[in-house]
Structure formats: structure tokens, C-alpha cells
Amino acid sequence: YARQTAAEQFAAQRALQVRSQAAAGQARSARSTLTWGVLSALCVCSPIAAVIAFVSYSRSKEAARQAGVALPGSARAGFWLSLLGVVWFVGFWGYVIWSVQQDGERVEARKLELSQKLNKSDANRLDHESACELAELYLLTNGYDGNTQVAQFKDFECAGALKTEPSLAALEDLKFRTSSSGGLQTVAVCLKHGDRWFVDRVTHRTCDVDAVSGVASADGGKKPPPKRAAPAPNH
């Protein structure tokens, strides 16, 4: 009888110890679930926090079962926050993908429009409008300064002067953005004439073109050459 009583006491102590350890583990897991759930809801760029929150929630649930206690509210709150984080993660990246596709379609449509306009114009005649179209098409096709994310290029402003020579030209002060959050880029567009006019390069410096044939302004007009003083009459 004494041995039986001792065994029962040992079993009871062991069970109490297991429940105590389970309760302590359950409390830690519940706090971890809440912490990672909050991080998951705040950080929509990665699902890692949500995954850790789910694992912590499972541990807290199992520990609560072993301890014979109810699952704490902090664990439940962390679980629902992690679910919210997953929804935000999917929504955020879904919007990003959709936005990139929309930008790509916008740029392709604009490139097609510019190509059609240039094909209808005289390739051997360069005016301000055709120079702007050539410059924009070049940038949307080749990018600028190592940046080839042309789907984000937007807000082109072509109001600078066009300097021309028989086989060279320079379009000044072309402005555009390489991203929605970026500032305006101001560049000069250097053009050449072979069998047609084409863009040779785009630079943030000048093209060093002496406009011996005049300077075309944004409205297509030309500045007249300077008048020479009349020679003094001989007496």
C-alpha cells in the first residue's frame, strides 16, 4: 500500500510538473504568436513573420491542451493578425504586379504611337516635333544612364530649343521622370543624319552643336540670323 501511495504521489507530481512546464511554454508561445502577428500585419512585403506566427500559434495551442487550460487571447489575436498580414501581403504584391503590367502596356502603346507618327513624317526633315518624338522613342526603347526600367518612364516635357546643322542636331532641356517618386531628369538629345535622322546619344551635358542654320524654338519657329552692320559710305 505504501508503494502504491508513493507511486501515485510521484505520478501526481510528475503530472503537475508537466502541466507547469506546458503552461510556461504555452505563455511563451502565446506572446510569440502575438509579437509575430503584429509584425506580420505591419510588414506586407514578406510573409515570413506570418509563417512564424502560425508556428507559434500551433505550439501555444498544443501547450494549452497539455496544460489543460484555455488558449490565451494573445495567441488568438496574434493568429488573426497574421491572417490579416497574409491578406495584405497578397493584396500588395497583386497590386504591384498589376501596376507593372499596366505601365508596360502604356509604354508599348506610346512607342507604337510614336513609331506610327515618325513613319508618316519625312525622315530627312527634322523639326521640333519630330525631334521630340525621336528622343522619347529612343528613351522608351533604350532606357537612360543604365536604367532600363522604361515602364516607369513618364511625364516627358519637350520644350527646349532644337539646334540644327546639315548633319547634326541637338535638342536641349528634355525633361522626364524615371519613376513616379523620382525627380525630373533634364537631358540633351544629340541627333545625327545618315539616310534619316536618328538619336545618337542622350546626355546630361551638351551636344556641342553649333547651330549655323538657326535655332528652332519649341513652337517650331526659327531665330533669325544676326544682322550685319551696313558698311560706312566712302567720302
Side-chain angles (χ1 to χ4, degrees), residues 131-221:
C132 292
E133 293 168 350
L134 284 170
E136 185 176 351
L137 181 59
Y138 178 89
L139 287 166
L140 292 179
T141 302
N142 300 282
Y144 172 69
D145 197 25
N147 185 354
T148 57
Q149 301 297 321
V150 296
Q152 300 183 34
F153 287 20
K154 58 178 61 178
D155 299 339
F156 283 84
E157 298 178 11
C158 190
L162 175 65
K163 298 180 180 180
T164 60
E165 287 188 354
S167 60
L168 296 174
L171 179 64
E172 297 180 340
D173 295 330
L174 175 66
K175 302 180 186 296
F176 65 100
R177 298 183 191 274
T178 57
S179 66
S180 299
S181 59
L184 280 175
Q185 300 281 346
T186 302
V187 297
V189 183
C190 310
L191 303 100
K192 287 185 178 180
H193 184 270
D195 57 345
R196 58 181 177 80
W197 281 102
F198 63 93
V199 175
D200 179 45
R201 70 184 187 278
V202 176
T203 177
H204 63 279
R205 301 178 181 178
T206 60
C207 297
D208 297 328
V209 175
D210 294 325
V212 296
S213 60
V215 179
S217 62
D219 59 2

Side-chain angles (χ1 to χ4, degrees), residues 71-140:
L71 186 65
S74 57
R76 297 180 187 276
F79 175 76
W80 287 109
L81 284 171
S82 62
L83 281 181
L84 181 62
V86 170
V87 172
W88 285 355
F89 169 77
V90 173
F92 171 76
W93 285 108
Y95 171 77
V96 169
I97 293 173
W98 175 83
S99 179
V100 169
Q101 290 177 341
Q102 290 294 109
D103 286 341
E105 292 175 0
R106 173 185 58 82
V107 168
E108 290 302 319
R110 179 58 176 166
K111 287 166 63 177
L112 179 60
E113 178 186 358
L114 292 170
S115 297
Q116 291 174 345
K117 287 182 177 180
L118 290 169
N119 289 336
K120 293 178 181 179
S121 62
D122 185 356
N124 292 311
R125 180 177 177 273
L126 185 69
D127 55 18
H128 189 270
E129 181 179 1
S130 60
C132 292
E133 293 168 350
L134 284 170
E136 185 176 351
L137 181 59
Y138 178 89
L139 287 166
L140 292 179

